[in-house]
Amino acid sequence: MPRSDDATYYHDDPAWGDVTPLAQDDGGLHPLASIAYTDEYSEAMGYLRAVMAANEYSDRVLALTEHIISMNPAHYTVWLYRAKALRETGADLAREIAWLNPTALQHLKNYQIWHHRQTIVDVLGSPAGEADFIATMLEQDSKNYHVWSYRQWLVQRFDLFASDDELRWTEAMIDGDVRNNSAWNHRWFLVVGGQGGRLESRRLVERELEYAKYAIRKAPQNQSPWNYIKGVVRAAGLPFSTLTDFALEFADMRRPDDIYSSHALDLLADIYADNEGSKEEAKKALHLLASRFDPIRAHYWNYRKALLEVPETTA
């Protein structure tokens, strides 16, 4: 491919004069599907293969990997070798974080950057500054999966489950967008994950139920807090019927014209289905979902309705 005037090459750099690049083996003279790399990228990778074969870890290797990452930030092998070079050379890891920040902002959906950052922060042994940078990243995309996954790793690595700051930050994210399922998931990770998947504190259960109810009342058709409140009840070992009166606020089946949450109807169907004496009410809720409030999933609701008509068998 044609060369760019601002490209970086190594063959005429005296600092690399002792290295003979290793060409990529594409499978002979006439490969079936060779990739059309740029000359700059092909040469840089040739030098990287050579230093990897020689197990070289040096400042020039770090510069080489930085160059390659600038051209292909998804090259996992390059990131792994860079991490090892950082370790072997005793490089300043704070400087590595400073370099990673703009790199991550330039490549928002890149997974390898976050795995590398995790490796570096793990060695540093401190999450200092990470919350601020995560906030900067989420300003670009508030539901970036890689960023939220990394935040969960930080909570686990540095045992932040009981951190008031972490919970307040999560609440601020939900307040900013009550439909941000990633933020709800993080709250669940903090509150329930931090309790080993069980909620045994009555005070904690009541706090989380009230929080979810508040969010539902702000946006009754938002599925995230409905899922959350059902999860809290389940984690507390309570029956779904605990939520009957609350669900009826949004879906009184005696007045179908006043129903304004299909998720409340779904919950009522679960509640009524658990009681043999109210299965007809469960069928009514499922019928309303299939015919009026969520017809795009009519087959699913009708399937659940049909299950209610199947007699239970005993082993």
Side-chain angles (χ1 to χ4, degrees):
M1 296 187 69
R3 298 192 174 199
S4 170
D5 292 339
D6 59 353
T8 299
Y9 293 98
Y10 298 89
H11 62 273
D12 54 359
D13 184 344
W16 289 89
D18 61 320
V19 178
T20 301
L22 296 178
Q24 177 168 302
D25 183 2
D26 283 330
L29 293 175
H30 303 289
L32 180 63
S34 61
I35 300 174
Y37 300 115
T38 64
D39 290 341
E40 180 184 15
Y41 182 78
S42 292
E43 185 187 87
M45 283 302 302
Y47 279 85
L48 180 66
R49 281 188 287 270
V51 296
M52 288 178 68
N55 289 317
E56 178 184 332
Y57 306 103
S58 61
D59 288 343
R60 71 176 182 179
V61 166
L62 290 173
L64 175 61
T65 56
E66 181 176 340
H67 178 210
I68 295 173
I69 286 168
S70 72
M71 295 184 284
N72 181 9
H75 201 313
Y76 194 59
T77 302
V78 181
W79 283 106
L80 286 176
Y81 200 72
R82 180 177 179 85
K84 192 170 184 179
L86 289 166
R87 183 171 64 250
E88 296 294 331
T89 60
D92 183 347
L93 298 184
R95 289 183 61 185
E96 183 71 1
I97 292 294
W99 169 73
L100 276 174
N101 289 350
T103 304
L105 283 166
Q106 187 178 1
H107 305 285
L108 295 176
K109 297 296 186 179
N110 181 283
Y111 167 76
Q112 288 80 6
I113 289 173
W114 292 95
H115 183 271
H116 184 73
R117 190 182 192 97
Q118 179 176 318
T119 301
I120 302 306
V121 171
D122 188 39
V123 175
L124 285 171
S126 169
E130 292 303 278
D132 290 340
F133 181 67
I134 286 173
T136 300
M137 287 293 299
L138 293 178
E139 286 175 3
Q140 311 301 312
D141 177 3
S142 65
K143 300 174 184 179
N144 188 315
Y145 170 80
H146 305 308
V147 180
W148 284 102
S149 295
Y150 176 71
R151 184 98 186 197
Q152 287 194 0
W153 175 82
L154 286 174
V155 169
Q156 285 186 309
R157 170 64 176 84
F158 299 104
D159 194 18
L160 303 176
F161 288 103
S163 167
D164 290 338
D165 288 342
E166 191 71 14
L167 189 62
R168 280 194 295 268
W169 174 79
T170 306
E171 288 180 358
M173 292 297 294
I174 293 173
D175 287 344
D177 178 7
V178 75
R179 293 174 176 80
N180 189 336
N181 194 54
S182 298
W184 282 102
N185 182 64
H186 194 69
R187 186 181 181 95
W188 175 267
F189 181 74
L190 283 176
V191 175
V192 184
Q195 301 292 321
R198 296 288 299 170
L199 289 178
E200 298 179 352
S201 164
R202 182 177 180 84
R203 180 194 63 81
L204 193 59
V205 171
E206 290 179 352
R207 185 192 75 183
E208 293 307 298
L209 289 177
E210 289 306 310
Y211 183 79
K213 288 177 180 179
Y214 170 76
I216 289 170
R217 290 186 175 112
K218 287 174 65 176
Q221 194 52 20
N222 174 22
Q223 189 172 10
S224 296
W226 283 105
N227 286 342
Y228 189 85
I229 202 169
K230 289 167 71 174
V232 168
V233 167
R234 190 179 292 114
L238 299 172
F240 278 158
S241 57
T242 304
L243 299 172
T244 302
D245 290 343
F246 178 69
L248 287 171
E249 290 183 27
F250 310 92
D252 186 341
M253 292 187 294
R254 295 171 301 178
R255 299 189 299 273
D257 289 342
D258 293 332
I259 292 174
Y260 49 101
S261 175
S262 63
H263 307 301
L265 267 181
D266 183 13
L267 176 56
L268 286 171
D270 284 334
I271 292 169
Y272 293 141
D274 284 341
N275 189 328
E276 188 65 35
S278 59
K279 284 194 174 182
E280 288 305 314
E281 290 296 295
K283 292 178 184 178
K284 183 177 179 180
L286 293 167
H287 172 74
L288 285 169
L289 284 163
S291 62
R292 184 169 177 180
F293 293 99
D294 191 13
I296 197 168
R297 294 196 295 166
H299 290 304
Y300 168 69
W301 301 120
N302 287 329
Y303 168 74
R304 279 182 52 182
K305 183 179 176 183
L307 289 179
L308 295 175
E309 298 170 354
V310 177
E312 295 185 8
T313 57
T314 56

